């Protein structure tokens, strides 16, 4: 059983920054890829960013503002979020794909408001 635990969410003012962390219960070097998704009220879950062994991809709405990274030694994936705006408000979920199976964290709330 794989567990993913997110942390780092909270309330931030527009233009501010937050850094999310996702720690896995096993080595993330075994994962095909890992990523972050988000879901706002009444909206479908959408891709924020995904990281592979040597590359990453981003959703159009966060390109240039968010950066995904990984620390294999700490079994942790990060999401640095800059220039946040109210449209970024959502529950952010960590995702890991291992041997064709998707695993999800419980989610962490990010609220951007003045």
């Amino acid at each position: 059983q794989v567990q993913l635990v997110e942390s780092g969410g909270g309330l931030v003012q527009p233009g501010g920054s937050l850094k999310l962390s996702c720690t896995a219960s096993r080595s993330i070097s075994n994962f095909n890829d890992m990523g972050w998704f988000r879901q706002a009220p009444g909206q479908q879950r959408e891709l924020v960013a995904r990281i592979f062994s040597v590359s990453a991809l981003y959703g159009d709405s966060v390109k240039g503002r968010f950066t995904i990274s990984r620390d294999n030694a700490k079994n942790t994936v990060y999401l640095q979020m800059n220039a946040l705006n109210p449209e970024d408000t959502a529950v952010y979920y960590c995702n890991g794909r291992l041997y064709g199976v998707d695993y999800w964290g419980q989610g962490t709330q990010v609220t951007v408001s003045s």
Side-chain angles (χ1 to χ4, degrees), residues 59-80:
D60 289 341
S61 62
V62 306
K63 285 181 181 177
R65 300 188 298 123
F66 291 11
T67 303
I68 189 171
S69 61
R70 61 194 294 168
D71 185 338
N72 288 350
K74 295 183 178 180
N75 295 333
T76 300
V77 176
Y78 303 98
L79 184 69
Q80 176 67 47

Side-chain angles (χ1 to χ4, degrees), residues 1-4 31-37 45 47 50 94-105:
Q1 185 70 12
V2 177
Q3 292 184 332
L4 302 175
F31 284 80
N32 304 95
D33 54 81
M34 297 194 70
W36 290 92
F37 289 73
R45 191 171 295 189
L47 172 70
R50 185 166 288 281
C94 179
N95 167 266
R97 189 170 299 165
L98 180 64
Y99 306 128
V101 178
D102 278 312
Y103 296 92
W104 295 91

Side-chain angles (χ1 to χ4, degrees), residues 19 23 26 34 46 87:
K19 187 174 185 178
T23 300
R26 60 176 294 169
M34 297 194 70
E46 65 171 353
E87 289 69 40

